[in-house]
Amino acid sequence: MSSTTAESPRWGSVAEAAAEHGVGASSVRRWIGEGRIRAERVGPRRFRVDLDSLTEETSPGLPTPTQLVAALAALDDGDVEAIRRVAEKIYPATDGSALVFAHIWQAIGSVARVQAKAAARA
């Protein structure tokens, strides 16, 4: 669906743009309305999105490379082993679906984030 030449943008759907940046379709539609990303209307309720117009500035919910490296560097071997054990426990419930696994993992992350915030306040 998309072209990869230097002169042409990579076009994709709202859903593809959302998946590529780990956000919901409503966020992508909002960014289109705000003019933060380039898109063209292709129907009454459909857009094609210039996937190359999405940057860290237009999708602020994603970690920067610096944040990602810092977070990974904070993990020790015990942390990595604990993460592996959790992944092994939840994988059978996903029936091999990467998407289901990602949603479960995100839910676990949300719970852990709330617990970490509470611990930091204490």
Side-chain angles (χ1 to χ4, degrees):
M1 174 179 187
S2 62
S3 173
T4 56
T5 65
E7 295 132 19
S8 301
R10 280 185 318 124
W11 292 106
S13 68
V14 168
E16 289 169 325
E20 189 166 308
H21 287 274
V23 298
S26 61
S27 294
V28 173
R29 286 189 197 92
R30 184 177 65 253
W31 297 338
I32 292 169
E34 293 170 351
R36 293 169 61 185
I37 59 175
R38 183 174 169 227
E40 295 178 355
R41 187 174 292 278
V42 294
R45 295 178 46 133
R46 295 192 57 177
F47 292 92
R48 70 179 192 156
V49 178
D50 176 356
L51 299 176
D52 296 326
S53 72
L54 295 165
T55 64
E56 288 176 13
E57 293 79 34
T58 57
S59 55
L62 300 174
T64 65
T66 302
Q67 290 170 323
L68 185 56
V69 168
L72 294 174
L75 299 175
D76 62 25
D77 289 341
D79 297 327
V80 173
E81 178 60 22
I83 291 167
R84 184 193 61 73
R85 284 194 317 272
V86 170
E88 284 179 353
K89 287 181 179 181
I90 65 173
Y91 182 77
T94 69
D95 294 326
S97 168
L99 183 59
V100 171
F101 184 91
H103 283 281
I104 293 169
W105 196 260
Q106 185 175 15
I108 291 168
S110 295
V111 170
R113 194 169 37 255
V114 168
Q115 291 174 343
K117 277 183 166 180
R121 287 187 197 127

